[in-house]
Amino acid sequence: MLLTTKQKYVLDVLKKLGCVKRRQLHALMRGHFQEAGFEITQASMDAMLRQLRMGTADVRMDNELVWLSRQEPDFRRLEAIDVMIELTEGRARNFSIKAEPPCLLRFAFGGNEDLKLFTVALLELSPPEFLTQAKKERVIWTSDSGDAPKGLALPPKHFFAARQPDGSHRFYGSNGP
């Protein structure tokens, strides 16, 4: 099956993330192809997904999710993808879910001169020493409850993403340098 550049990108996203919400995939596609001047509408993306589903047995879809057949949806990871999209406006680079707990997702954002590395991690899975490790990347913490525990003190370059009722996130940072 011959694939378009956009269909290849969809498969690449699914291979890297395993499962995404349709709106997340749409945001990532818009962000990726925006610089090239391509407009990605929801209707065109849905048509690409239908073609991929018919052309390959690997792509699965329902009303909200798109995933590869061997991948189970992970709602913690889906929230981490939301955080990534909010921070990068869909223009994340080099994203991957291949990380050990408590890390859910790693991604980069910015140009070559100002490239910033990020990790989205789950507070409930974190051993205490992970919170104080010196890392090159910024760490964005989430929690199953969506709220930061009382008294949470974050080291520099660590942030907490508090889930809002509308599904977006409010970001709280450390007070350090």
Side-chain angles (χ1 to χ4, degrees), residues 22 45-46 48-51 53 59-67:
R22 284 177 184 250
M45 190 190 76
D46 288 343
M48 279 185 270
L49 290 173
R50 281 191 304 275
Q51 291 168 347
R53 188 181 67 191
V59 177
R60 303 277 190 252
M61 301 181 338
D62 68 12
N63 290 334
E64 183 182 358
L65 299 175
V66 181
W67 70 96

Side-chain angles (χ1 to χ4, degrees), residues 65-89:
L65 299 175
V66 181
W67 70 96
L68 292 177
S69 60
R70 58 195 170 278
Q71 196 70 27
E72 290 291 320
D74 179 342
F75 293 98
R76 290 172 167 169
R77 191 159 284 129
L78 291 170
E79 182 172 12
I81 295 167
D82 278 338
V83 168
M84 174 183 71
I85 290 170
E86 287 177 54
L87 289 174
T88 66
E89 296 177 343

Side-chain angles (χ1 to χ4, degrees), residues 1-176:
M1 175 178 180
L2 292 175
L3 300 175
T4 66
T5 303
K6 294 172 190 164
Q7 289 170 325
K8 288 177 186 176
Y9 181 75
V10 168
L11 286 178
D12 187 48
V13 167
L14 291 175
K15 286 176 186 171
K16 288 179 180 179
L17 300 178
C19 179
V20 294
K21 294 177 182 176
R22 284 177 184 250
R23 66 173 174 73
Q24 292 171 333
L25 182 59
H26 187 222
L28 290 169
M29 288 188 70
R30 278 194 332 258
H32 182 78
F33 289 103
Q34 189 174 39
E35 289 180 15
F38 291 112
E39 179 64 29
I40 306 292
T41 65
Q42 186 69 46
S44 67
M45 190 190 76
D46 288 343
M48 279 185 270
L49 290 173
R50 281 191 304 275
Q51 291 168 347
L52 282 172
R53 188 181 67 191
M54 298 306 248
T56 176
D58 252 4
V59 177
R60 303 277 190 252
M61 301 181 338
D62 68 12
N63 290 334
E64 183 182 358
L65 299 175
V66 181
W67 70 96
L68 292 177
S69 60
R70 58 195 170 278
Q71 196 70 27
E72 290 291 320
D74 179 342
F75 293 98
R76 290 172 167 169
R77 191 159 284 129
L78 291 170
E79 182 172 12
I81 295 167
D82 278 338
V83 168
M84 174 183 71
I85 290 170
E86 287 177 54
L87 289 174
T88 66
E89 296 177 343
R91 294 187 311 269
R93 296 173 51 185
N94 303 327
F95 44 86
S96 173
I97 61 172
K98 293 183 177 157
E100 293 297 318
C103 300
L104 299 170
L105 174 68
R106 285 205 158 107
F107 65 95
F109 177 64
N112 291 335
E113 301 83 35
D114 64 343
L115 190 67
K116 294 174 182 71
L117 303 175
F118 290 86
T119 295
V120 181
L122 186 66
L123 204 54
E124 285 86 352
L125 298 178
S126 174
E129 65 274 5
F130 189 86
L131 193 60
T132 57
Q133 274 181 309
K135 296 237 177 228
K136 291 187 281 187
E137 71 257 46
R138 290 155 175 80
V139 179
I140 298 102
W141 294 96
T142 63
S143 76
D144 286 335
S145 70
D147 298 321
K150 295 223 186 280
L152 177 65
L154 296 170
K157 294 187 179 183
H158 285 240
F159 305 88
F160 186 83
R163 190 179 321 117
Q164 302 299 295
D166 66 357
S168 66
H169 294 84
R170 176 171 283 167
F171 296 93
Y172 298 93
S174 60
N175 292 329

